[in-house]
Amino acid sequence: MMNINVLRLSHRVKRDARITTHVCLTSRAFGASKIYLSGERDEKLIKNVQKVVKNWGGSFKVEYKKNYMNLIEEWKNNGGDVIHLTMYGSQVQNIIEDIKKSSKDKLIVVGGSRVPTKIYNNSDWNVSITNQPHSEVSSLAIFQHMLMDGREFNLKFDNAIFEVIPVSEGKKVIIKDENKDYI
């Protein structure tokens, strides 16, 4: 199975902490194994996402990359695909099958502030999730959902301390500690 990673461009500590956190959480919940953050280094955000992984399970990783172009070039040199989510790209519904045909690992690039032209030029696919302005979080969720064919709904996150049990009313959470499971 292909490995899915995400690159979040141009993170700004004071302005983007909440939205970048949501990009990280969406990446993880929808099947990515790692996210790379570029822009301003934000240790607090990285620690917060690592705490989510510790509490909710899985092996999701967060890594800061100062030079995102080096990451993109390295990704491509190692045989991976680069997919840039943008409102200016080819419509996802028209190209998702071509993207899925490639078994190569995927690096999904989501922007922040203005995305440099070199991102468009160095991506294997520039993909639009509608041609209207909206959130990178929603674009990422929709794209990963389509890429995964809905398999993200059945993902299991090993070593979770917290696990939500779906119920039609109320909340049911299992909290696991070293000695016992309890509700």
Side-chain angles (χ1 to χ4, degrees):
M1 187 167 153
M2 81 184 103
N3 182 29
I4 301 170
N5 286 202
V6 174
L7 168 60
R8 165 68 159 135
L9 297 174
S10 307
H11 173 70
R12 297 163 294 183
V13 174
K14 290 187 179 189
R15 182 172 174 161
D16 296 333
R18 185 170 175 86
I19 197 79
T20 299
T21 299
H22 289 183
V23 168
C24 293
L25 297 178
T26 300
S27 300
R28 176 188 168 277
F30 281 74
S33 59
K34 186 173 194 174
I35 188 162
Y36 299 96
L37 303 176
S38 73
E40 296 176 8
R41 184 187 272 289
D42 191 341
E43 290 300 326
K44 182 180 177 188
L45 184 143
I46 291 170
K47 286 178 183 169
N48 286 342
V49 174
Q50 289 170 335
K51 184 177 177 183
V52 168
V53 174
K54 181 181 179 206
N55 288 334
W56 293 93
S59 58
F60 185 76
K61 304 286 185 222
V62 183
E63 184 178 328
Y64 175 75
K65 282 285 190 183
K66 183 173 181 151
N67 189 324
Y68 60 82
M69 281 310 298
N70 284 351
L71 171 65
I72 290 171
E73 289 170 10
E74 181 180 319
W75 191 269
K76 290 177 73 103
N77 287 340
N78 288 331
D81 289 331
V82 176
I83 299 131
H84 172 223
L85 301 183
T86 171
M87 63 188 253
Y88 304 106
S90 301
Q91 293 182 326
V92 67
Q93 66 272 24
N94 297 333
I95 63 168
I96 192 65
E97 294 306 319
D98 290 335
I99 295 170
K100 288 193 293 189
K101 284 178 189 173
S102 169
S103 61
K104 296 177 181 180
D105 290 344
K106 307 289 188 258
L107 179 65
I108 304 168
V109 181
V110 295
S113 56
R114 188 173 177 273
V115 175
T117 303
K118 61 187 172 184
I119 296 294
Y120 292 87
N121 294 339
N122 284 283
S123 296
D124 296 296
W125 289 281
N126 290 291
V127 179
S128 69
I129 312 296
T130 83
N131 298 107
Q132 296 294 314
H134 63 96
S135 166
E136 53 268 40
V137 176
S138 61
S139 292
L140 182 61
I142 291 168
F143 181 79
Q144 282 186 258
H145 171 71
M146 293 177 79
L147 183 64
M148 295 279 292
D149 287 322
R151 291 186 311 274
E152 73 279 3
F153 295 134
N154 299 313
L155 291 176
K156 301 294 181 209
F157 294 89
D158 296 333
N159 302 314
I161 294 171
F162 300 105
E163 181 181 351
V164 172
I165 306 301
V167 293
S168 61
E169 293 182 20
K171 297 178 183 178
K172 186 173 183 181
V173 179
I174 295 176
I175 303 170
K176 302 174 182 184
D177 68 21
E178 296 170 355
N179 301 316
K180 61 183 174 182
D181 290 353
Y182 54 92
I183 298 177

